Amino acid sequence: MFGLFKKKSEKEKLQQQYAKLMKEAHTLSTSNRKLSDEKAYEANELMKQIEKLS
């Protein structure tokens, strides 16, 4: 109940953005491989930032 108004930490925000980018990369993999690779690269860069925060 009290967790409703809790702000997300920087790590949680990055993890959510990482998941979104990976999902986009997966859907683009069937239609545009170049864009899919770019999204995957962005996601990997985010993962590096997440690991630095850990």
Side-chain angles (χ1 to χ4, degrees):
M1 172 86 183
F2 294 107
L4 288 173
F5 303 108
K6 178 182 166 194
K7 290 186 178 183
K8 291 184 181 180
S9 70
E10 185 67 27
K11 185 176 178 181
E12 290 172 332
K13 290 178 186 178
L14 290 174
Q15 287 173 334
Q16 189 175 27
Q17 191 175 3
Y18 172 80
K20 180 183 173 191
L21 284 172
M22 289 305 291
K23 184 177 179 182
E24 287 178 16
H26 184 320
T27 56
L28 285 170
S29 66
T30 58
S31 61
N32 190 336
R33 187 63 189 185
K34 184 177 179 181
L35 282 177
S36 173
D37 290 344
E38 289 176 8
K39 294 289 182 181
Y41 176 77
E42 289 178 34
N44 286 332
E45 292 300 314
L46 275 177
M47 183 54 73
K48 289 178 185 176
Q49 290 179 0
I50 293 170
E51 289 174 354
K52 285 181 183 177
L53 291 175
S54 295

